[in-house]
Amino acid sequence: MKRGKIIVLSGPSGVGKGTVLREVMRNRSDLQFSVSATTRPIRPNEVNGENYWFMDKAQFEQLISDDALLEYVTYADNYYGTPIKPVEEAMDNGIHVVLEIEVQGAMKLFERRDDVISIFIAPPSFEELKRRLLGRGDTAQQIAEKRLRIARWECEAAKKYKYVVVNDDVQRAASEIDAILTAESCRSEYYEMILPEEEM
Ligand code: 5GP
């Protein structure tokens, strides 16, 4: 069985990564979402174990000292990290694992691993991102402004990813990601030619 790959999906807060990703996953059975650990407070409509594993600082630091994270960062004053075990298990079963992570953590992974398919989801424009981010009801103004400053820096990092998908339309963005994943699975390096035993 071919080993699964890591798919890193990044993009600034407010770009609609979650919505696009849900659409991609609805149409494919070879993907698993990596549920990250975080110390940020849970938002309305979020479910522990589904969106994130929500925990306190001490619990997160235990994961760090147990070497149980593939990567982790401090982002907007909270820890975020990818538990390694479910990622490895899924990959062993030929399933691709989608990591929806921010840019710094992604960069660390690009340095360490060569089995990463990297996709950056970009907003149609920075103005549009600002509108979406400041208009989001579940985040306080001050936090949204901090995220906007980070977003500017993150958009500058887009070129470090292999692919960039602009989210001006969810369906279109999702079908572009689907096309990328299909193209990646056809790369010649994954092809195992079945040849007859003897020369004909
Ligand atoms: P939010 O608080 O809006 O859910 O996420 C904030 C940022 O943290 C997003 O860019 C999200 O992709 C990123 N993030 C979520 N989980 C992880 C993780 O495990 N590692 C890293 N490096 N970033 C993460």
Side-chain angles (χ1 to χ4, degrees):
M1 186 197 295
K2 281 189 227 162
R3 200 169 144 76
K5 300 263 160 200
I6 292 178
I7 299 157
V8 165
L9 210 67
S10 302
S13 186
V15 79
K17 279 170 297 193
T19 315
V20 173
L21 183 55
R22 265 194 300 281
E23 191 56 30
V24 175
M25 294 191 70
R26 216 162 54 87
N27 298 318
R28 297 187 71 109
S29 56
D30 56 350
L31 303 179
Q32 178 177 304
F33 178 71
S34 159
V35 180
S36 293
T38 186
T39 57
R40 101 148 147 67
I42 190 165
R43 291 180 187 145
N45 304 324
E46 284 186 326
V47 178
N48 189 34
E50 222 172 85
N51 304 89
Y52 285 102
W53 295 108
F54 294 95
M55 59 186 66
D56 62 25
K57 204 163 166 247
Q59 288 170 308
F60 196 100
E61 285 173 350
Q62 187 62 48
L63 292 180
I64 299 173
S65 55
D66 289 347
D67 219 4
L69 299 173
L70 188 56
E71 57 74 44
Y72 72 93
V73 291
T74 306
Y75 174 95
D77 301 328
N78 283 298
Y79 278 131
Y80 292 83
T82 306
I84 195 162
K85 204 163 163 245
V87 174
E88 294 291 348
E89 278 172 3
M91 289 169 74
D92 287 346
N93 290 318
I95 299 288
H96 308 304
V97 186
V98 183
L99 274 56
E100 193 205 308
I101 62 175
E102 54 66 64
V103 171
Q104 287 178 70
M107 296 297 145
K108 287 190 207 167
L109 265 187
F110 299 166
E111 278 166 24
R112 286 206 297 259
R113 300 188 68 127
D114 57 6
D115 54 353
V116 176
I117 300 167
S118 59
I119 307 174
F120 188 89
I121 308 209
S125 70
F126 202 75
E127 275 313 302
E128 171 62 18
L129 182 69
K130 193 170 169 180
R131 203 182 57 74
R132 285 186 206 170
L133 205 52
L134 299 182
R136 189 151 96 180
D138 63 359
T139 313
Q141 178 83 5
Q142 214 183 352
I143 297 175
E145 280 170 9
K146 187 166 187 177
R147 281 167 184 256
L148 200 61
R149 280 197 296 280
I150 300 172
R152 172 180 286 273
W153 176 83
E154 289 194 316
C155 286
E156 283 166 11
K159 292 266 185 205
K160 305 230 167 81
Y161 290 68
K162 186 164 185 194
Y163 301 98
V164 177
V165 169
V166 175
N167 183 21
D168 48 6
D169 176 87
V170 172
Q171 289 300 332
R172 205 179 57 83
S175 69
E176 284 184 4
I177 293 175
D178 190 51
I180 291 166
L181 299 181
T182 302
E184 281 284 336
S185 72
C186 295
R187 280 171 61 165
S188 58
E189 65 192 78
Y190 310 133
Y191 180 54
E192 284 155 29
M193 171 91 75
I194 301 158
L195 286 177
E197 291 281 308
E198 284 166 37
E199 197 97 350
M200 300 238 253

